[in-house]
Amino acid sequence: MVTGNMLIVIFFLALAALFFLILKLKVEPFLSLIGVAFATAVVIGMPLNEVAATVTQGFGNTLTGVGILIGLGVIFGQFLGASGAIEKIAAAVLKAFGIKKSPAGLALTGTAVSIPVFFDAAFVILSGLIKSLSKKTGISVISFVTALGVGLIVSHNMIAPTPGPLVVAENTGSDLGLFILYGILVAIPATLVGGYFYGLFIGKRINHSGAIEEVAVSLEDAPKKEISTGLSFFMLALPIGLILINTVSQLLIPDTDLASVLGFIGDKNIALFISVVAAIILLAPYISVPNSRLYSEAINSAGIIILVTGAGGAFGAVINKSGIGDYLIATMQSWSIPVLLLAFIFSQILRASLGSATVALVTTSSILGPMAVELGVSPILLGLAICAGGIGLSLPNDSGFWVVNRFGKLTVVQTLKAWTLGGFIAGLTAITTVLILSLFSGILPGL
C-alpha cells in the first residue's frame, strides 16, 4: 500500500474528486461517495480482494449506529409536526429568547440536548424546529441550521459524559467533575460564536435554496385541535430523558441489574422507538393526517438520508484503513510547537481525515494523554484542547455532514459554508478559551 507523503496527496485528491463530482458534475452524493471510496481504495494500493469488503463494511458499520435511528427519528418528527407540537415549541422558544435571539436559544438548546443524546438523534429530533422558527422570525433557515448543528457538535465534543470527552478525561487522567465543569465553560462561548453569531452572519449572505417541508401543507392537514405546550415539550423531551436515564444510571449505579434495565430502555434506538409509539398514541387526538401517510412520507425521506450517510461512512472507512491518521501523528510529533496547540491540531486533522470526532478524540488522547505530566501541562487543559480539535472541519467523509445536509435541505456548498465553517470557528473559539484558561492555571482549581 502507498505510504508517506503520498497518503496525504491521495487524501486531498480524493476530496477534490468528490467535490468535483458533486458540485460540478451534479452527480448524486451517494454515487459520488461510493465511487470515490472504491477509487481511493484502489489508488492507495489496497488489495483488490479487500476493496469491496472495506467499502461495504464501512457502509454497514455506519448504519449500524444510525440507520434505525434515522428512520425512527424521521417518523417521530412527522408526528410532532402533524400534531402541531413543533409549532408550540417554536412559540415557546420565541417567547423565552425573543425574535432576535431565537437562534441563540436554539443553539444553547442544542448544546444542552447533545450532552446525553447522540448527535444524529438530537439533530433529527430538533431539526423540525428550524422551519417553524424561521417562518415566525423571518431569520434565515441557514442561521438556524448553523446554530443547531454547531450547538450540538460543541457539547458532543466538549462535555462528558458523551463518549469522546469521557475517554479523553480518562486518557489524560483528569478529574471527571472538573473536566465537565471546564468543558461547559469552554462550550458556551464556542457555541455562541460559531453557532449564533456566525450563524446570523452567514444566514444574511447566502440564500437557502431548498425548502424544509412542513408536514401540514393544507387546511385539511391542520391539527384537529390545539396541542398544549406542556405535552409538546414532554414529547420532545421523552427520547432525550430516556437516554439521559441510561447515562446517569451508568455513572451512578454501574454493573447493577437496575442499570442494565435502564440501559436497555435508554439505548438510543430503544428510546426513540418508545417515543415513536408514545407519539402514535398520545398525539392521535391532534392529528388529522392518516398514520399511513405519515409513515410513507417518513420512509421516503429517510431512504436517501440513510444511503448518503452510509456512503459517507464507507468513504471514511477507506481513508481510515489507508493509515493516513497514523502517518499524520508520527509526522507532527516532531514539530516544535506548544503542546496545547499540538493537541488541537492533531485532533483537528484526524477529525477531518477520518470523518469521526470520537475517533479523533480517542486517538489523540491515547497518544498525548500520558505525556501531560512529562510535558508539564495540566491534564484538564490538554484534554480540553484535544476536545476542541474535534469540533470543526466536518467534511463529506463524516456521516454527520450528510445528516445536516439532508435534514437541513442544504446544498453541499451551503453545508460547507454553514456547518463545516461554523464548526471550525467554534473549534477555534474553544481552543482560544482553553489558552485563556491556561493563563490562570495557577489560580483556578485543577488547572
Side-chain angles (χ1 to χ4, degrees):
M1 291 178 65
V2 174
T3 59
N5 292 331
M6 277 304 298
L7 280 175
I8 298 177
V9 173
I10 291 172
F11 171 64
F12 283 110
L13 287 176
L15 287 180
L18 190 61
F19 291 141
F20 178 76
L21 288 171
I22 295 173
L23 302 180
K24 185 68 175 178
L25 301 184
K26 309 298 182 184
V27 177
E28 166 61 39
F30 168 71
L31 294 176
S32 299
L33 284 162
I34 293 295
V36 171
F38 280 131
T40 303
V42 172
V43 171
I44 65 174
M46 185 181 297
L48 295 180
N49 61 348
E50 296 181 10
V51 171
T54 300
V55 172
T56 54
Q57 185 176 18
F59 186 94
N61 288 345
T62 300
L63 294 187
T64 297
V66 302
I68 294 175
L69 188 69
I70 289 174
L72 291 173
V74 174
I75 294 174
F76 186 65
Q78 288 287 113
F79 276 84
L80 288 184
S83 67
I86 295 297
E87 290 289 336
K88 276 289 183 179
I89 295 169
V93 171
L94 279 178
K95 184 176 180 180
F97 286 88
I99 290 177
K100 293 183 178 180
K101 296 181 180 178
S102 55
L106 187 59
L108 293 175
T109 298
T111 302
V113 167
S114 195
I115 295 173
V117 180
F118 188 66
F119 171 84
D120 289 356
F123 194 90
V124 168
I125 293 168
L126 295 175
S127 63
L129 295 172
I130 293 171
K131 178 67 175 181
S132 297
L133 288 171
S134 179
K135 184 177 180 181
K136 289 179 179 295
T137 63
I139 297 174
S140 170
V141 165
I142 298 289
S143 296
F144 284 107
V145 170
T146 305
L148 175 59
V150 171
L152 290 170
I153 199 63
V154 165
S155 58
H156 181 77
N157 284 276
M158 292 300 311
I159 307 174
T162 49
L166 197 61
V167 173
V168 170
E170 176 69 22
N171 286 344
T172 57
S174 300
D175 177 89
L176 184 58
L178 289 174
F179 196 79
I180 292 174
L181 173 63
Y182 288 116
I184 294 173
L185 291 178
V186 174
I188 292 175
T191 296
L192 291 176
V193 174
Y196 174 50
F197 292 113
Y198 175 73
L200 290 178
F201 171 83
I202 195 66
K204 294 176 181 178
R205 284 160 176 79
I206 59 176
N207 295 320
H208 184 243
S209 58
I212 299 180
E213 299 90 348
E214 295 175 289
V215 174
V217 295
S218 66
L219 292 177
E220 291 77 13
D221 293 341
K224 292 179 182 177
K225 60 179 181 179
E226 185 176 359
I227 190 173
S228 68
T229 301
L231 180 57
S232 299
F233 272 100
F234 171 77
M235 292 308 306
L236 180 65
L238 180 58
I240 297 168
L242 291 174
I243 296 172
L244 179 59
I245 289 174
N246 173 31
T247 302
V248 173
S249 68
Q250 299 306 317
L251 290 174
L252 299 181
I253 51 172
D255 303 321
T256 63
D257 292 338
L258 179 58
S260 297
V261 173
L262 295 177
F264 171 76
I265 296 174
D267 175 86
K268 59 182 182 290
N269 293 297
I270 300 295
L272 205 46
F273 177 76
I274 293 173
S275 301
V276 168
V277 174
I280 294 172
I281 297 171
L282 298 179
L283 300 181
Y286 308 96
I287 298 176
S288 59
V289 180
N291 284 0
S292 59
R293 175 177 160 187
L294 295 180
Y295 299 143
S296 177
E297 291 177 353
I299 291 172
N300 288 337
S301 298
I304 187 61
I305 297 172
I306 289 173
L307 285 176
V308 172
T309 301
F315 180 49
V318 171
I319 296 299
N320 192 13
K321 193 168 183 177
S322 71
I324 187 173
D326 293 336
Y327 176 75
L328 286 171
I329 287 180
T331 300
M332 294 174 62
Q333 279 182 315
S334 63
W335 296 359
S336 299
I337 61 175
V339 66
L340 294 182
L341 287 179
L342 180 65
F344 173 78
I345 295 172
F346 269 18
S347 185
Q348 183 84 108
I349 292 180
L350 285 178
R351 167 78 164 104
S353 61
L354 301 181
S356 171
T358 300
V359 172
L361 300 190
V362 172
T363 303
T364 307
S365 64
S366 66
I367 294 173
L368 295 182
M371 299 168 60
V373 176
E374 178 185 342
L375 295 172
V377 65
S378 160
I380 292 178
L381 289 174
L382 178 63
L384 292 176
I386 293 171
C387 290
I391 294 174
L393 291 186
S394 171
L395 298 173
N397 59 335
D398 173 21
S399 62
F401 179 95
W402 297 106
V403 171
V404 173
N405 172 269
R406 293 295 167 169
F407 278 95
K409 295 296 187 295
L410 307 181
T411 66
V412 171
V413 172
Q414 289 171 344
T415 309
L416 290 169
K417 290 182 178 179
W419 159 246
T420 302
L421 187 53
F424 179 67
I425 291 172
L428 290 179
T429 304
I431 187 59
T432 300
T433 305
V434 172
L435 293 174
I436 292 173
L437 286 175
S438 71
L439 299 177
F440 301 93
S441 58
I443 303 174
L444 297 174
L447 300 184

